Amino acid sequence: QVQLQESGPGLVKPSQTLSLTCTVSGGSITANGYYWSWIRQPPGKGLEWMGAIAYSGSTYYSPSLKSRTSISRDTSKNQFTLQLSSVTPEDTAVYYCARGTGWGTYLHSDYWGQGTQVTVSS
């Protein structure tokens, strides 16, 4: 059973960089064919796929967030990390990490973390 757990600060100030880590257990982030995504849901809105890192280490980003987003991984810890720069209150959301078999949409995802609330406020 694959399990994912998000961790990071729940409050970030405007203009700062949001950084979240997803720790994966029960499966390797280098397992062939899987993509490890970050997805968010702002209050009152739908899910938004932000980006992913593939089993190969290749990264993919939503065009709308590409200029502010970076996803990396630490294979020794079986973790992958999201960094979102220059945050504004509009980046307030529940952030999820997930495993999927593709990228570009959350619909490919079969295992999800429980989500972590991040609020952007001074």
Side-chain angles (χ1 to χ4, degrees):
Q1 178 84 2
V2 175
Q3 294 183 317
L4 299 93
Q5 178 67 59
E6 305 90 350
S7 60
L11 180 64
V12 183
K13 295 186 185 305
S15 81
Q16 292 187 341
T17 296
L18 179 162
S19 185
L20 296 174
T21 296
C22 183
T23 301
V24 179
S25 59
S28 173
I29 62 172
T30 61
N32 193 40
Y34 290 110
Y35 297 76
W36 304 87
S37 289
W38 286 99
I39 299 151
R40 68 181 182 178
Q41 185 168 30
K45 297 185 179 180
L47 292 166
E48 177 185 24
W49 179 83
M50 301 179 68
I53 187 163
Y55 57 97
S56 62
S58 297
T59 53
Y60 308 86
Y61 299 107
S62 167
S64 64
L65 294 170
K66 185 176 183 178
S67 63
R68 299 195 292 132
T69 306
S70 178
I71 297 174
S72 59
R73 68 180 184 177
D74 185 336
T75 56
S76 68
K77 296 180 180 179
N78 216 35
Q79 295 175 332
F80 62 105
T81 299
L82 169 73
Q83 290 193 311
L84 181 67
S85 63
S86 304
V87 298
T88 72
E90 286 66 42
D91 293 309
T92 294
V94 177
Y95 286 76
Y96 298 92
C97 56
R99 187 192 81 166
T101 55
W103 59 275
T105 172
Y106 58 85
L107 296 176
H108 296 300
S109 301
D110 54 0
Y111 287 98
W112 293 64
Q114 65 182 21
T116 187
Q117 173 70 46
V118 178
T119 300
V120 179
S121 175
S122 55

